[in-house]
Amino acid sequence: MGKQLREIYGEILKEVGATNNDIVVLDADVSGSTKSAIFGKAYPDRFYNCGISEYAMAGMAAGLAKMGKIPFVNTFAVFISTIGLLGARTFMSYSGLNVKYMGAYGGLSDAYDGATHHALEDIANMRALPGIDVLVPSDAASTEFIVNEAIARKQPMYIRLSRDAMPDCHPEGAKFEYGKGMIVREGTDVTLIGCGIMVSKSMEAAELLAKEGISARVVDMYCIKPIDTELIAKCSKETGAIVTAEEHSVIGGLGAAVAEALVKTTPAPVEMIGVQDTHAESASYKDLFAKYHLNAEDIAEAAKKAIARK
């Protein structure tokens, strides 16, 4: 098992912050959870605890961005994408300011805090706003790439991080491209397209399918907006069936983005693994994945359904 992505994020900000004085970090009084405190401890003069006031925090970030700073705005994904949504629309989408929204505890990862703290619509909310890119790292390597790209690119972004540790999905030295996805396992019968923790779940599903003689390709779609339409079309053409897997509602997230791309390019049977138009409950992370059918076994079954529809 790899490291917690939030921990990696905090360490990368601290490292780059040593030589880039334009990086500033804001947090809504949960910096111990988001791990923005790692940066705050190292550079207290560039760290702002805004309290439980997400919209005000967005306004502060807008002012800092207007002055040429690179603000990273931190709180739980559910709050930054709902209470902070007007700020994202006004300051990031409409005004185009260089603000980075960092959504910690994405999906069901704030397990025991229940429905009020689960983020199952954040990708859909942010994806719908013009001009805001949406990225979801799956492991340490993709997290490092995405955070460094966020620093380098002068544009608004929403980046979703999980609370828990995730297995490594990419080999050492993997070459990421912004706005692209990456094939992490080759296959010929079906393509499993995941983001976040669902990439490693898709890798497990591919192993299960291999035992039944089914060859499954796995794609890490770490960039959901802009989405890699070319790769999606290639996978559709070469394997003839698609399964999307996300720790998010099936409405408006990765599955919807992939389906939209397929309609415009190379349509194929699509099955979507995700939470089915419901709020989740309070339980362990493991139990929530089982209840809402997000495990490798569920992805494998969806793959067989998609293949049957070819």
Side-chain angles (χ1 to χ4, degrees):
M1 183 67 71
K3 294 181 180 179
Q4 292 179 343
L5 301 194
R6 55 187 178 138
E7 190 88 34
I8 295 163
Y9 157 63
E11 292 292 347
I12 294 168
L13 274 191
K14 176 186 173 183
E15 180 182 343
V16 180
T19 56
N20 190 333
N21 291 323
D22 287 334
I23 297 172
V24 293
V25 174
L26 301 87
D27 203 291
D29 207 28
V30 287
S31 61
S33 298
T34 65
K35 299 303 179 183
S36 69
I38 296 172
F39 180 96
K41 185 176 180 180
Y43 318 110
D45 58 327
R46 287 185 277 147
F47 177 81
Y48 305 93
N49 184 354
C50 304
I52 307 299
S53 185
E54 290 82 359
Y55 184 70
M57 180 168 64
M60 289 176 63
L64 288 162
K66 193 72 174 175
M67 297 301 293
K69 300 300 181 183
I70 307 170
F72 282 77
V73 181
N74 301 267
T75 189
F76 290 4
V78 66
F79 302 128
I80 206 167
S81 64
T82 52
I83 303 170
L85 188 59
L86 181 57
R89 186 180 188 276
T90 303
F91 304 126
M92 296 165 67
S93 176
Y94 183 74
S95 301
L97 292 172
N98 186 27
V99 175
K100 320 297 178 179
Y101 263 20
M102 307 301 294
Y105 288 53
L108 299 165
S109 63
D110 198 10
Y112 282 113
D113 283 340
T116 57
H117 283 56
H118 296 153
L120 298 175
E121 63 288 309
D122 56 316
I123 294 173
N125 288 348
M126 291 296 178
R127 193 170 76 89
L129 293 176
I132 297 181
D133 287 358
V134 178
L135 300 106
V136 184
S138 60
D139 64 0
S142 57
T143 300
E144 183 174 0
F145 168 77
I146 286 170
V147 174
N148 279 307
E149 286 290 306
I151 294 166
R153 291 176 178 271
K154 294 183 178 181
Q155 64 186 85
M157 295 183 191
Y158 173 62
I159 299 170
R160 185 201 226 205
L161 300 171
S162 176
R163 179 182 189 273
D164 276 30
M166 294 189 186
D168 290 330
C169 300
H170 301 93
E172 188 174 346
K175 301 298 183 183
F176 297 91
E177 289 186 67
Y178 194 85
K180 298 292 185 179
M182 183 184 292
I183 297 173
V184 292
R185 179 185 174 118
E186 284 291 358
T188 57
D189 296 326
V190 63
T191 299
L192 315 178
I193 302 177
C195 63
I197 195 171
M198 300 305 285
V199 178
S200 58
K201 294 287 185 184
S202 295
M203 295 284 276
E204 293 176 27
E207 290 291 341
L208 295 174
L209 290 165
K211 293 176 182 177
E212 299 184 43
I214 299 171
S215 175
R217 178 178 298 181
V218 180
V219 170
D220 180 359
M221 196 60 73
Y222 52 85
C223 194
I224 296 178
K225 184 185 174 187
I227 199 159
D228 193 345
T229 303
E230 183 179 340
L231 177 58
I232 293 168
K234 169 184 167 71
C235 292
S236 175
K237 183 178 180 180
E238 293 177 352
T239 69
I242 303 286
V243 176
T244 62
E246 59 192 314
E247 189 187 359
H248 184 273
S249 171
V250 293
I251 300 169
L254 172 65
V258 169
E260 289 162 12
L262 285 171
V263 166
K264 298 174 184 177
T265 56
T266 311
V270 179
E271 295 287 334
M272 296 183 187
I273 294 292
V275 178
Q276 302 292 323
D277 197 23
T278 183
H279 291 290
E281 301 175 16
S282 177
S284 73
Y285 202 24
K286 179 180 178 181
D287 287 346
L288 288 171
F289 263 69
K291 180 177 178 64
Y292 298 105
H293 307 292
L294 304 178
N295 283 319
E297 294 81 1
D298 303 302
I299 299 171
E301 287 302 312
K304 287 184 272 188
K305 290 180 182 178
I307 291 169
R309 292 171 51 205
K310 283 188 185 183

